[in-house]
Amino acid sequence: QVQVVESGGGEVQPGGSLRLSCTVSGFTIGLNTMGWFRHPPGKERERLSCITWDGSSTYYVDSVKGRFTISRDDAKNTLYLQMNSLKPEDTAMYYCAVAYNYPCNTNVKYWGQGTQVTVSS
């Protein structure tokens, strides 16, 4: 049974930082594109960032470029998202996914259950 588990979410003040982790069990993420998505309240789920199987290419939605960094540690079967300079509009449920291809889209192999990020003063 494949499990995709995100962690690291929480509440933070504007300008703060969080590091999300996504640990996968029952499936080896090596050779797979991985991605982060988010679902803001009242809006549709959006693609946030993707990384190729070897880490050679990364994609970011314009709104997070220069603030967020995606990375992976295949030895730990884990994906990360470092989020800096957080803004209230970053408030959303954040999801990790094992993607079919790069750049990733919402048609994925596996989804996590999500972790809530709230940016508020």
Side-chain angles (χ1 to χ4, degrees), residues 2 21 25-26 44 63-64 74 78 89 91 111 113 116 118 121:
V2 177
S21 298
S25 59
E44 294 186 353
S63 59
V64 307
D74 289 355
T78 299
E89 51 264 42
T91 294
W111 286 107
Q113 85 290 347
Q116 178 68 37
T118 301
S121 55

Side-chain angles (χ1 to χ4, degrees), residues 27-71:
F27 182 87
T28 301
I29 68 171
L31 301 182
N32 285 272
T33 292
M34 299 291 293
W36 286 100
F37 297 75
R38 68 183 178 187
H39 194 169
K43 299 182 180 180
E44 294 186 353
R45 185 176 297 193
E46 66 172 343
R47 177 179 57 185
L48 198 62
S49 181
C50 311
I51 185 168
T52 52
W53 67 275
D54 60 354
S56 63
S57 294
T58 55
Y59 161 86
Y60 298 95
V61 69
D62 285 347
S63 59
V64 307
K65 283 181 181 177
R67 300 190 297 123
F68 290 11
T69 303
I70 191 171
S71 61

